């Protein structure tokens, strides 16, 4: 009996086709230039060979506090957890689909007793009829002659691979988001510190003008102008206190847990990363580095496999049902010699008329494939634009930072000179106020520019498909 069942199983698997009707996959041509944009905004540094994609985040982000925050977020962030669970779900769905290639063998046992009265009995006498069976077999197993099940298995596999890439994409984005939130918080802490220092300075200036006003030297206009600068600083202090609280909340959300106080930044640091320059390589490298592009391609491959399943629906389906066991009218007779029983029931189904259903399903599969081609190409174009923008900022941000530092230093000198000239009676207090406002604005812009330089490095890590280990 077992030998019979195994022979049927082997025959069934061997008869299943090894090919499908799915079209041969050809990667669409990347709809982007073969090189990055060139011009004044883009600098080249051939001496640096580091590639972001090959650098683990622990080696890219060197700040110890930031490293601990990233590790905390990788353990607790819910979006990343969902992405990991989606992988498990897709893996199970693939295993379910793959199992359709093999017959599901089940053991069964059944028994029945039936009493027939004399009026309906063929012998004219009442009788009790018993039937007992024990068997092993499978039912409605489809021979995959035209690759329908294999195409569906391929589609499930590509969906699983797409979820793996989706998790990598989520992790890269998460690491970048933690770094950006950390840097934004650090910048706002520096802005608050600057606002408080400015308030102290402006309060001292106000007190000086107030004394001069009381002595009849300064005018009421000068006193009110000094008051406006004090109030402006107080407004900024309240603003940055609120902004810092919101920054901390954003960081706690992305980390998925409360942030220990010792991991909070105290200010911007220029040592967030040791990489000073990041070459982008060739645009075609993005196809191998960016997980979102690989995810889009996996989904496209799955759509190609779906076409194979839709094409196979036009051809006959052959299914087998078979079992082997023993049967007897008495329970004790199940295993007596001569009680063997078996059944073999092949079935073929040939589609003749379905009101255009199969043709419509094929059309849907082909249109879906074209949609995913467009989405794949869009993912490449988006990646190209993101990298080009980041490279443009990377090529100019150092010059901007140097100019802003020079501007801030010159503005500070102007402010000190205006104070001296006011004290000597050469200029009015309005000149001091103007130079004071200019210095405060220049200092704030310097913090913003320093933040932009650091976040640009984080952006390059993200858009170039940074390492995730």
């Amino acid at each position: 009996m077992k030998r019979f069942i195994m022979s049927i199983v082997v025959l069934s698997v061997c008869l299943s086709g090894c090919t499908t009707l799915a079209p041969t996959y050809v990667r669409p041509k990347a709809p982007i230039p073969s090189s990055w944009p060139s011009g004044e905004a883009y600098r080249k540094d051939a001496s640096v060979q580091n590639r972001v994609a090959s650098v683990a985040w622990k080696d890219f982000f060197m700040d110890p506090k930031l490293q601990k925050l990233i590790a905390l977020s990788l353990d607790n962030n819910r979006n990343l957890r969902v992405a990991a669970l989606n992988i498990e779900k897709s893996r199970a769905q693939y295993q379910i689909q793959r199992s359709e290639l093999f017959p599901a063998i089940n053991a069964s046992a059944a028994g029945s007793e039936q009493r027939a009265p004399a009026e309906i009995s063929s012998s004219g006498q009442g009788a009790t009829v018993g039937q007992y069976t024990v068997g092993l077999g499978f039912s409605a197993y489809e021979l995959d002659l035209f690759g329908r099940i294999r195409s569906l298995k391929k589609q499930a596999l590509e969906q699983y691979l797409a979820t793996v890439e989706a998790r990598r994409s989520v992790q890269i984005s998460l690491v970048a988001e933690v770094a950006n939130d950390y840097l934004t918080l650090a910048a706002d802490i520096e802005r608050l510190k600057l606002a408080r220092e400015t308030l102290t300075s402006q309060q001292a200036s106000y007190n000086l003008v107030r004394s001069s006003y009381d002595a009849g030297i300064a005018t009421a206009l000068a006193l009110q102008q000094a008051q406006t600068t004090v109030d402006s600083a107080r407004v900024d202090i309240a603003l940055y206190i609120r902004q810092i609280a919101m920054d901390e909340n954003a960081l706690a959300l992305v980390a998925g847990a409360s942030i220990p106080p010792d991991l909070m930044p105290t200010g911007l640091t220029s040592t967030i990363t040791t990489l000073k320059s990041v070459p982008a390589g060739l645009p075609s490298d993005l196809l191998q580095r960016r997980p979102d592009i690989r995810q889009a391609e996996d989904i496209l491959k799955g759509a190609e496999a779906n076409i194979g399943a839709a094409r196979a629906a036009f051809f006959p389906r052959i299914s087998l049902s078979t079992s082997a066991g023993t049967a007897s009218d008495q329970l004790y007779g199940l295993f007596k010699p001569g009680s063997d029983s078996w059944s073999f029931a092949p079935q073929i189904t040939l589609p003749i008329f379905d009101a255009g259903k199969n043709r419509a399903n094929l059309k849907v599969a082909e249109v879906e494939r074209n949609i995913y081609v467009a989405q794949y190409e869009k993912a490449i174009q988006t990646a190209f634009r993101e990298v080009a923008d980041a490279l443009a900022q990377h090529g100019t941000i150092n010059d901007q930072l140097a100019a802003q530092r020079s501007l801030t230093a010159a503005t500070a000198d102007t402010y000190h000179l205006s104070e001296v000239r006011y004290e000597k009676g050469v200029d009015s207090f309005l000149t001091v106020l103007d130079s004071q406002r200019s210095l405060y604005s220049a200092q704030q812009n310097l913090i913003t520019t320093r933040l932009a330089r650091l976040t640009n490095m984080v952006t390059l890590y993200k858009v170039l498909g940074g390492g995730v280990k």
Side-chain angles (χ1 to χ4, degrees):
M1 178 178 68
K2 291 183 179 180
R3 182 178 300 175
F4 174 78
I5 293 294
M6 291 305 299
S7 298
I8 294 295
V9 170
V10 172
L11 177 62
S12 301
V13 174
C14 290
L15 287 176
S16 295
C18 296
T19 60
T20 69
L21 299 178
T24 302
Y25 175 74
V26 178
R27 175 182 286 175
K29 184 179 179 181
I32 55 175
S34 59
S35 60
W36 299 112
S38 59
E40 232 181 326
Y42 304 93
R43 75 181 187 190
K44 299 184 181 298
D45 189 353
S47 63
V48 181
Q49 298 301 321
N50 291 320
R51 291 290 180 88
V52 168
S54 61
V55 179
W57 66 262
K58 290 183 180 180
D59 298 324
F60 186 86
F61 299 102
M62 301 303 296
D63 184 271
K65 292 183 179 180
L66 180 55
Q67 285 185 344
K68 293 179 181 179
L69 278 175
I70 292 175
L72 182 66
S73 68
L74 293 178
D75 290 336
N76 296 282
N77 183 267
R78 271 38 178 196
N79 287 338
L80 188 60
R81 191 172 297 176
V82 169
L85 292 173
N86 282 333
I87 291 178
E88 293 185 23
K89 175 184 174 182
S90 294
R91 183 190 297 119
Q93 289 174 331
Y94 167 67
Q95 292 172 343
I96 292 172
Q97 190 60 58
R98 182 177 179 272
S99 68
E100 295 293 325
L101 288 171
F102 305 94
I105 300 175
N106 300 300
S108 63
S112 67
E113 293 280 351
Q114 182 177 357
R115 168 69 181 176
E119 289 79 1
I120 63 173
S121 174
S122 59
S123 62
Q125 297 180 350
T128 299
V129 179
Q131 182 177 357
Y132 300 91
T133 60
V134 174
L136 187 69
F138 56 84
S139 62
Y141 167 62
E142 180 180 344
L143 296 180
D144 195 28
L145 298 179
F146 301 100
R148 188 186 74 87
I149 297 176
R150 292 180 184 276
S151 293
L152 293 176
K153 185 200 76 166
K154 173 68 173 175
Q155 193 274 337
L157 174 62
E158 295 299 339
Q159 185 63 41
Y160 161 67
L161 296 176
T163 59
V164 174
E165 296 300 338
R167 184 191 182 281
R168 290 190 68 248
S169 184
V170 170
Q171 181 165 331
I172 291 173
S173 297
L174 174 61
V175 171
E177 186 176 0
V178 172
N180 281 327
D181 287 351
Y182 179 84
L183 292 172
T184 300
L185 174 58
D188 285 337
I189 289 174
E190 285 200 5
R191 291 187 178 109
L192 176 60
K193 181 181 178 182
L194 175 61
R196 283 174 169 162
E197 291 174 350
T198 302
L199 175 61
T200 300
S201 174
Q202 291 173 343
Q203 186 66 55
S205 297
Y206 172 80
N207 293 338
L208 178 62
V209 175
R210 181 73 189 185
S211 298
S212 299
Y213 174 77
D214 292 341
I217 300 174
T219 64
L221 177 61
L223 180 63
Q224 293 304 314
Q225 289 171 336
Q227 181 67 50
T228 60
T229 61
V230 172
D231 291 339
S232 295
R234 290 172 57 198
V235 168
D236 284 351
I237 289 174
L239 170 65
Y240 292 128
I241 288 176
R242 179 175 71 249
Q243 192 60 49
I244 287 173
M246 295 171 65
D247 292 341
E248 291 174 348
N249 293 338
L251 194 57
L253 175 62
V254 74
S258 299
I259 308 298
D262 60 318
L263 295 186
M264 292 297 183
T266 56
L268 286 176
T269 172
S270 60
T271 58
I272 182 177
T273 175
T274 58
L275 297 182
K276 304 303 180 185
S277 180
V278 181
L282 296 175
S284 58
D285 293 342
L286 290 178
L287 304 183
Q288 286 75 42
R289 292 203 301 245
R290 292 263 302 216
D292 58 333
I293 294 178
R294 293 205 298 266
Q295 177 188 0
E297 186 174 15
D298 288 335
I299 294 175
L300 172 57
K301 291 178 180 178
E304 295 271 7
N306 233 10
I307 292 177
R311 287 176 175 175
F314 287 90
F315 295 88
R317 291 189 189 181
I318 300 176
S319 60
L320 303 178
S321 296
T322 184
S323 66
T326 63
S328 175
D329 60 352
Q330 299 292 333
L331 183 62
Y332 62 82
L334 281 175
F335 301 102
K336 287 184 176 181
S339 64
D340 295 345
S341 68
W342 60 270
S343 68
F344 179 66
Q347 180 180 1
I348 183 169
T349 303
L350 177 65
I352 297 177
F353 176 75
D354 60 5
K357 177 182 177 181
N358 286 338
R359 191 173 298 278
N361 283 334
L362 177 58
K363 182 65 176 179
V364 169
E366 291 173 341
V367 172
E368 281 186 343
R369 186 267 311 275
N370 294 336
I371 291 174
Y372 291 130
V373 168
Q375 291 179 346
Y376 171 69
E377 293 174 341
K378 179 64 175 179
I380 296 175
Q381 291 175 334
T382 300
F384 182 88
R385 186 267 173 94
E386 289 176 350
V387 175
D389 286 350
L391 290 175
Q393 185 180 22
H394 187 65
T396 57
I397 191 65
N398 286 336
D399 293 339
Q400 180 183 351
L401 181 58
Q404 188 62 47
R405 282 172 175 163
S406 177
L407 175 61
T408 303
T411 308
D413 291 339
T414 301
Y415 170 61
H416 295 314
L417 288 173
S418 66
E419 281 188 317
V420 173
R421 290 173 64 84
Y422 170 72
E423 292 171 358
K424 292 182 177 181
V426 178
D427 283 335
S428 66
F429 189 68
L430 180 60
T431 304
V432 177
L433 290 179
D434 286 341
S435 59
Q436 193 176 54
R437 291 191 189 100
S438 297
L439 175 60
Y440 181 62
S441 176
Q443 290 172 326
Q444 290 282 13
N445 288 337
L446 179 59
I447 294 175
T448 300
T449 307
R450 290 169 56 208
L451 174 63
R453 179 183 176 276
L454 294 173
T455 55
N456 175 249
M457 296 298 298
V458 177
T459 300
L460 282 171
Y461 164 86
K462 176 182 176 181
V463 300
L464 291 175
V468 297
K469 294 182 180 180

